[in-house]
PDB file of all heavy atoms in Angstrom:
ATOM      1  N   ASP F   1       3.807  39.812  48.111  1.00  0.00           N
ATOM      2  CA  ASP F   1       4.177  38.439  47.782  1.00  0.00           C
ATOM      3  C   ASP F   1       5.249  38.516  46.697  1.00  0.00           C
ATOM      4  O   ASP F   1       5.334  39.512  45.973  1.00  0.00           O
ATOM      5  CB  ASP F   1       2.941  37.673  47.277  1.00  0.00           C
ATOM      6  CG  ASP F   1       3.223  36.178  47.096  1.00  0.00           C
ATOM      7  OD1 ASP F   1       4.215  35.690  47.669  1.00  0.00           O
ATOM      8  OD2 ASP F   1       2.439  35.515  46.390  1.00  0.00           O
ATOM      9  N   GLU F   2       6.066  37.479  46.616  1.00  0.00           N
ATOM     10  CA  GLU F   2       7.114  37.431  45.581  1.00  0.00           C
ATOM     11  C   GLU F   2       7.936  38.723  45.569  1.00  0.00           C
ATOM     12  O   GLU F   2       8.193  39.313  44.519  1.00  0.00           O
ATOM     13  CB  GLU F   2       6.492  37.198  44.186  1.00  0.00           C
ATOM     14  CG  GLU F   2       5.745  35.889  44.045  1.00  0.00           C
ATOM     15  CD  GLU F   2       6.644  34.663  43.986  1.00  0.00           C
ATOM     16  OE1 GLU F   2       7.887  34.821  43.931  1.00  0.00           O
ATOM     17  OE2 GLU F   2       6.103  33.545  44.010  1.00  0.00           O
ATOM     18  N   VAL F   3       8.360  39.148  46.760  1.00  0.00           N
ATOM     19  CA  VAL F   3       9.186  40.356  46.862  1.00  0.00           C
ATOM     20  C   VAL F   3      10.517  40.099  46.155  1.00  0.00           C
ATOM     21  O   VAL F   3      11.128  39.044  46.328  1.00  0.00           O
ATOM     22  CB  VAL F   3       9.416  40.734  48.335  1.00  0.00           C
ATOM     23  CG1 VAL F   3      10.355  41.926  48.452  1.00  0.00           C
ATOM     24  CG2 VAL F   3       8.082  41.042  49.015  1.00  0.00           C
ATOM     25  N   GLY F   4      10.944  41.069  45.354  1.00  0.00           N
ATOM     26  CA  GLY F   4      12.166  40.874  44.567  1.00  0.00           C
ATOM     27  C   GLY F   4      13.158  42.017  44.703  1.00  0.00           C
ATOM     28  O   GLY F   4      13.548  42.634  43.706  1.00  0.00           O
ATOM     29  N   CYS F   5      13.580  42.327  45.925  1.00  0.00           N
ATOM     30  CA  CYS F   5      14.579  43.378  46.126  1.00  0.00           C
ATOM     31  C   CYS F   5      15.925  42.936  45.554  1.00  0.00           C
ATOM     32  O   CYS F   5      16.263  41.745  45.589  1.00  0.00           O
ATOM     33  CB  CYS F   5      14.783  43.674  47.604  1.00  0.00           C
ATOM     34  SG  CYS F   5      13.306  44.131  48.529  1.00  0.00           S
ATOM     35  N   GLU F   6      16.693  43.898  45.082  1.00  0.00           N
ATOM     36  CA  GLU F   6      18.076  43.600  44.696  1.00  0.00           C
ATOM     37  C   GLU F   6      19.008  43.775  45.882  1.00  0.00           C
ATOM     38  O   GLU F   6      20.132  43.275  45.877  1.00  0.00           O
ATOM     39  CB  GLU F   6      18.501  44.510  43.543  1.00  0.00           C
ATOM     40  CG  GLU F   6      17.787  44.158  42.241  1.00  0.00           C
ATOM     41  CD  GLU F   6      18.142  45.103  41.109  1.00  0.00           C
ATOM     42  OE1 GLU F   6      19.246  45.693  41.139  1.00  0.00           O
ATOM     43  OE2 GLU F   6      17.309  45.257  40.209  1.00  0.00           O
ATOM     44  N   GLY F   7      18.558  44.489  46.898  1.00  0.00           N
ATOM     45  CA  GLY F   7      19.348  44.646  48.113  1.00  0.00           C
ATOM     46  C   GLY F   7      19.835  46.056  48.357  1.00  0.00           C
ATOM     47  O   GLY F   7      20.244  46.393  49.470  1.00  0.00           O
ATOM     48  N   HIS F   8      19.798  46.907  47.330  1.00  0.00           N
ATOM     49  CA  HIS F   8      20.292  48.283  47.482  1.00  0.00           C
ATOM     50  C   HIS F   8      19.168  49.275  47.761  1.00  0.00           C
ATOM     51  O   HIS F   8      19.417  50.442  48.051  1.00  0.00           O
ATOM     52  CB  HIS F   8      21.041  48.719  46.217  1.00  0.00           C
ATOM     53  CG  HIS F   8      20.175  48.655  44.983  1.00  0.00           C
ATOM     54  ND1 HIS F   8      19.209  49.598  44.706  1.00  0.00           N
ATOM     55  CD2 HIS F   8      20.113  47.727  43.995  1.00  0.00           C
ATOM     56  CE1 HIS F   8      18.597  49.260  43.577  1.00  0.00           C
ATOM     57  NE2 HIS F   8      19.111  48.128  43.129  1.00  0.00           N
ATOM     58  N   GLU F   9      17.903  48.827  47.643  1.00  0.00           N
ATOM     59  CA  GLU F   9      16.764  49.732  47.821  1.00  0.00           C
ATOM     60  C   GLU F   9      16.760  50.325  49.236  1.00  0.00           C
ATOM     61  O   GLU F   9      17.194  49.679  50.191  1.00  0.00           O
ATOM     62  CB  GLU F   9      15.445  48.993  47.580  1.00  0.00           C
ATOM     63  CG  GLU F   9      15.258  48.520  46.146  1.00  0.00           C
ATOM     64  CD  GLU F   9      15.849  47.144  45.866  1.00  0.00           C
ATOM     65  OE1 GLU F   9      16.562  46.598  46.741  1.00  0.00           O
ATOM     66  OE2 GLU F   9      15.597  46.608  44.784  1.00  0.00           O
ATOM     67  N   ARG F  10      16.256  51.542  49.343  1.00  0.00           N
ATOM     68  CA  ARG F  10      16.238  52.203  50.648  1.00  0.00           C
ATOM     69  C   ARG F  10      15.046  51.786  51.485  1.00  0.00           C
ATOM     70  O   ARG F  10      15.097  51.836  52.716  1.00  0.00           O
ATOM     71  CB  ARG F  10      16.245  53.720  50.467  1.00  0.00           C
ATOM     72  CG  ARG F  10      17.573  54.230  49.945  1.00  0.00           C
ATOM     73  CD  ARG F  10      17.588  55.740  49.870  1.00  0.00           C
ATOM     74  NE  ARG F  10      17.064  56.318  51.107  1.00  0.00           N
ATOM     75  CZ  ARG F  10      17.107  57.612  51.391  1.00  0.00           C
ATOM     76  NH1 ARG F  10      17.641  58.443  50.533  1.00  0.00           N
ATOM     77  NH2 ARG F  10      16.609  58.076  52.520  1.00  0.00           N
ATOM     78  N   GLU F  11      13.945  51.382  50.830  1.00  0.00           N
ATOM     79  CA  GLU F  11      12.749  50.972  51.555  1.00  0.00           C
ATOM     80  C   GLU F  11      12.121  49.762  50.870  1.00  0.00           C
ATOM     81  O   GLU F  11      12.231  49.599  49.655  1.00  0.00           O
ATOM     82  CB  GLU F  11      11.724  52.117  51.590  1.00  0.00           C
ATOM     83  CG  GLU F  11      12.221  53.341  52.326  1.00  0.00           C
ATOM     84  CD  GLU F  11      11.096  54.294  52.664  1.00  0.00           C
ATOM     85  OE1 GLU F  11      10.087  54.296  51.928  1.00  0.00           O
ATOM     86  OE2 GLU F  11      11.232  55.024  53.657  1.00  0.00           O
ATOM     87  N   LEU F  12      11.449  48.947  51.663  1.00  0.00           N
ATOM     88  CA  LEU F  12      10.806  47.745  51.130  1.00  0.00           C
ATOM     89  C   LEU F  12       9.766  48.096  50.059  1.00  0.00           C
ATOM     90  O   LEU F  12       9.568  47.338  49.109  1.00  0.00           O
ATOM     91  CB  LEU F  12      10.160  46.967  52.276  1.00  0.00           C
ATOM     92  CG  LEU F  12       9.656  45.555  51.960  1.00  0.00           C
ATOM     93  CD1 LEU F  12      10.794  44.665  51.481  1.00  0.00           C
ATOM     94  CD2 LEU F  12       8.984  44.944  53.182  1.00  0.00           C
ATOM     95  N   TRP F  13       9.129  49.276  50.202  1.00  0.00           N
ATOM     96  CA  TRP F  13       8.114  49.707  49.225  1.00  0.00           C
ATOM     97  C   TRP F  13       8.676  49.799  47.817  1.00  0.00           C
ATOM     98  O   TRP F  13       7.947  49.670  46.839  1.00  0.00           O
ATOM     99  CB  TRP F  13       7.571  51.095  49.584  1.00  0.00           C
ATOM    100  CG  TRP F  13       7.082  51.230  50.981  1.00  0.00           C
ATOM    101  CD1 TRP F  13       7.685  51.925  51.982  1.00  0.00           C
ATOM    102  CD2 TRP F  13       5.883  50.688  51.545  1.00  0.00           C
ATOM    103  NE1 TRP F  13       6.938  51.842  53.134  1.00  0.00           N
ATOM    104  CE2 TRP F  13       5.833  51.086  52.891  1.00  0.00           C
ATOM    105  CE3 TRP F  13       4.854  49.900  51.024  1.00  0.00           C
ATOM    106  CZ2 TRP F  13       4.792  50.733  53.746  1.00  0.00           C
ATOM    107  CZ3 TRP F  13       3.827  49.545  51.877  1.00  0.00           C
ATOM    108  CH2 TRP F  13       3.790  49.950  53.217  1.00  0.00           C
ATOM    109  N   GLU F  14       9.973  50.092  47.694  1.00  0.00           N
ATOM    110  CA  GLU F  14      10.577  50.320  46.380  1.00  0.00           C
ATOM    111  C   GLU F  14      10.825  49.018  45.611  1.00  0.00           C
ATOM    112  O   GLU F  14      11.097  49.046  44.417  1.00  0.00           O
ATOM    113  CB  GLU F  14      11.924  51.049  46.533  1.00  0.00           C
ATOM    114  CG  GLU F  14      11.807  52.448  47.101  1.00  0.00           C
ATOM    115  CD  GLU F  14      13.169  53.066  47.393  1.00  0.00           C
ATOM    116  OE1 GLU F  14      14.185  52.588  46.827  1.00  0.00           O
ATOM    117  OE2 GLU F  14      13.229  54.012  48.195  1.00  0.00           O
ATOM    118  N   CYS F  15      10.759  47.892  46.301  1.00  0.00           N
ATOM    119  CA  CYS F  15      11.079  46.619  45.658  1.00  0.00           C
ATOM    120  C   CYS F  15       9.893  46.118  44.844  1.00  0.00           C
ATOM    121  O   CYS F  15       8.734  46.256  45.263  1.00  0.00           O
ATOM    122  CB  CYS F  15      11.427  45.566  46.706  1.00  0.00           C
ATOM    123  SG  CYS F  15      12.824  46.029  47.739  1.00  0.00           S
ATOM    124  N   PRO F  16      10.155  45.511  43.688  1.00  0.00           N
ATOM    125  CA  PRO F  16       9.055  44.894  42.950  1.00  0.00           C
ATOM    126  C   PRO F  16       8.416  43.774  43.771  1.00  0.00           C
ATOM    127  O   PRO F  16       9.111  43.057  44.493  1.00  0.00           O
ATOM    128  CB  PRO F  16       9.732  44.339  41.694  1.00  0.00           C
ATOM    129  CG  PRO F  16      11.189  44.300  41.985  1.00  0.00           C
ATOM    130  CD  PRO F  16      11.457  45.337  43.032  1.00  0.00           C
ATOM    131  N   ALA F  17       7.092  43.672  43.688  1.00  0.00           N
ATOM    132  CA  ALA F  17       6.374  42.633  44.439  1.00  0.00           C
ATOM    133  C   ALA F  17       4.999  42.452  43.833  1.00  0.00           C
ATOM    134  O   ALA F  17       4.489  43.334  43.146  1.00  0.00           O
ATOM    135  CB  ALA F  17       6.242  43.024  45.906  1.00  0.00           C
ATOM    136  N   GLU F  18       4.415  41.289  44.099  1.00  0.00           N
ATOM    137  CA  GLU F  18       3.026  41.039  43.696  1.00  0.00           C
ATOM    138  C   GLU F  18       2.105  41.514  44.814  1.00  0.00           C
ATOM    139  O   GLU F  18       2.379  41.284  45.998  1.00  0.00           O
ATOM    140  CB  GLU F  18       2.805  39.538  43.475  1.00  0.00           C
ATOM    141  CG  GLU F  18       3.622  38.954  42.338  1.00  0.00           C
ATOM    142  CD  GLU F  18       3.194  39.477  40.981  1.00  0.00           C
ATOM    143  OE1 GLU F  18       1.981  39.733  40.803  1.00  0.00           O
ATOM    144  OE2 GLU F  18       4.067  39.661  40.117  1.00  0.00           O
ATOM    145  N   LEU F  19       1.031  42.165  44.465  1.00  0.00           N
ATOM    146  CA  LEU F  19       0.054  42.588  45.466  1.00  0.00           C
ATOM    147  C   LEU F  19      -1.045  41.542  45.635  1.00  0.00           C
ATOM    148  O   LEU F  19      -1.677  41.454  46.681  1.00  0.00           O
ATOM    149  CB  LEU F  19      -0.547  43.945  45.088  1.00  0.00           C
ATOM    150  CG  LEU F  19       0.496  45.058  44.888  1.00  0.00           C
ATOM    151  CD1 LEU F  19      -0.172  46.369  44.547  1.00  0.00           C
ATOM    152  CD2 LEU F  19       1.356  45.220  46.134  1.00  0.00           C
ATOM    153  N   GLU F  20      -1.273  40.730  44.595  1.00  0.00           N
ATOM    154  CA  GLU F  20      -2.183  39.588  44.723  1.00  0.00           C
ATOM    155  C   GLU F  20      -1.359  38.415  45.261  1.00  0.00           C
ATOM    156  O   GLU F  20      -0.179  38.288  44.947  1.00  0.00           O
ATOM    157  CB  GLU F  20      -2.761  39.215  43.354  1.00  0.00           C
ATOM    158  CG  GLU F  20      -3.551  40.328  42.690  1.00  0.00           C
ATOM    159  CD  GLU F  20      -4.823  40.649  43.473  1.00  0.00           C
ATOM    160  OE1 GLU F  20      -5.543  39.702  43.829  1.00  0.00           O
ATOM    161  OE2 GLU F  20      -5.068  41.835  43.742  1.00  0.00           O
ATOM    162  N   HIS F  21      -1.987  37.570  46.041  1.00  0.00           N
ATOM    163  CA  HIS F  21      -1.213  36.457  46.608  1.00  0.00           C
ATOM    164  C   HIS F  21      -2.111  35.236  46.794  1.00  0.00           C
ATOM    165  O   HIS F  21      -3.335  35.345  46.804  1.00  0.00           O
ATOM    166  CB  HIS F  21      -0.611  36.855  47.957  1.00  0.00           C
ATOM    167  CG  HIS F  21      -1.665  37.080  49.019  1.00  0.00           C
ATOM    168  ND1 HIS F  21      -2.193  36.061  49.751  1.00  0.00           N
ATOM    169  CD2 HIS F  21      -2.287  38.216  49.432  1.00  0.00           C
ATOM    170  CE1 HIS F  21      -3.099  36.538  50.580  1.00  0.00           C
ATOM    171  NE2 HIS F  21      -3.182  37.848  50.407  1.00  0.00           N
ATOM    172  N   ASP F  22      -1.473  34.073  46.958  1.00  0.00           N
ATOM    173  CA  ASP F  22      -2.212  32.856  47.306  1.00  0.00           C
ATOM    174  C   ASP F  22      -1.607  32.289  48.582  1.00  0.00           C
ATOM    175  O   ASP F  22      -1.334  31.101  48.689  1.00  0.00           O
ATOM    176  CB  ASP F  22      -2.137  31.835  46.157  1.00  0.00           C
ATOM    177  CG  ASP F  22      -0.707  31.579  45.705  1.00  0.00           C
ATOM    178  OD1 ASP F  22       0.213  32.169  46.298  1.00  0.00           O
ATOM    179  OD2 ASP F  22      -0.515  30.770  44.779  1.00  0.00           O
ATOM    180  N   CYS F  23      -1.347  33.170  49.543  1.00  0.00           N
ATOM    181  CA  CYS F  23      -0.630  32.792  50.768  1.00  0.00           C
ATOM    182  C   CYS F  23      -1.578  32.801  51.963  1.00  0.00           C
ATOM    183  O   CYS F  23      -2.646  33.401  51.905  1.00  0.00           O
ATOM    184  CB  CYS F  23       0.489  33.787  51.053  1.00  0.00           C
ATOM    185  SG  CYS F  23       1.658  33.961  49.688  1.00  0.00           S
ATOM    186  N   SER F  24      -1.144  32.173  53.041  1.00  0.00           N
ATOM    187  CA  SER F  24      -1.821  32.316  54.331  1.00  0.00           C
ATOM    188  C   SER F  24      -0.762  32.757  55.338  1.00  0.00           C
ATOM    189  O   SER F  24       0.431  32.785  55.027  1.00  0.00           O
ATOM    190  CB  SER F  24      -2.452  30.995  54.769  1.00  0.00           C
ATOM    191  OG  SER F  24      -1.454  30.078  55.146  1.00  0.00           O
ATOM    192  N   HIS F  25      -1.194  33.080  56.564  1.00  0.00           N
ATOM    193  CA  HIS F  25      -0.249  33.589  57.557  1.00  0.00           C
ATOM    194  C   HIS F  25       0.777  32.557  58.000  1.00  0.00           C
ATOM    195  O   HIS F  25       1.750  32.903  58.652  1.00  0.00           O
ATOM    196  CB  HIS F  25      -1.000  34.184  58.750  1.00  0.00           C
ATOM    197  CG  HIS F  25      -1.546  35.561  58.477  1.00  0.00           C
ATOM    198  ND1 HIS F  25      -0.740  36.629  58.191  1.00  0.00           N
ATOM    199  CD2 HIS F  25      -2.819  36.019  58.427  1.00  0.00           C
ATOM    200  CE1 HIS F  25      -1.492  37.710  57.982  1.00  0.00           C
ATOM    201  NE2 HIS F  25      -2.758  37.361  58.116  1.00  0.00           N
ATOM    202  N   LYS F  26       0.575  31.279  57.634  1.00  0.00           N
ATOM    203  CA  LYS F  26       1.614  30.307  57.978  1.00  0.00           C
ATOM    204  C   LYS F  26       2.849  30.486  57.103  1.00  0.00           C
ATOM    205  O   LYS F  26       3.872  29.851  57.329  1.00  0.00           O
ATOM    206  CB  LYS F  26       1.075  28.882  57.911  1.00  0.00           C
ATOM    207  CG  LYS F  26       0.758  28.354  56.524  1.00  0.00           C
ATOM    208  CD  LYS F  26       0.401  26.858  56.617  1.00  0.00           C
ATOM    209  CE  LYS F  26       0.278  26.212  55.252  1.00  0.00           C
ATOM    210  NZ  LYS F  26      -0.984  26.592  54.563  1.00  0.00           N
ATOM    211  N   GLU F  27       2.764  31.383  56.114  1.00  0.00           N
ATOM    212  CA  GLU F  27       3.901  31.679  55.246  1.00  0.00           C
ATOM    213  C   GLU F  27       4.469  33.078  55.506  1.00  0.00           C
ATOM    214  O   GLU F  27       5.160  33.636  54.660  1.00  0.00           O
ATOM    215  CB  GLU F  27       3.476  31.585  53.773  1.00  0.00           C
ATOM    216  CG  GLU F  27       3.056  30.192  53.339  1.00  0.00           C
ATOM    217  CD  GLU F  27       2.398  30.216  51.968  1.00  0.00           C
ATOM    218  OE1 GLU F  27       3.140  30.194  50.967  1.00  0.00           O
ATOM    219  OE2 GLU F  27       1.163  30.274  51.897  1.00  0.00           O
TER     220      GLU F  27
END
């Protein structure tokens, strides 16, 4: 959740993100 890539990262894993979320699959 709240993925914050700058755009130059090689993999999505490298981007800062929240692991806790308040989302459902409709998002």
Side-chain angles (χ1 to χ4, degrees):
D1 188 18
E2 298 288 353
V3 176
C5 304
E6 290 177 26
H8 59 76
E9 294 88 351
R10 290 184 47 172
E11 297 195 333
L12 191 60
W13 308 108
E14 295 173 20
C15 301
E18 296 293 326
L19 304 181
E20 300 294 312
H21 67 84
D22 52 1
C23 304
S24 71
H25 282 298
K26 70 173 189 285
E27 296 169 84

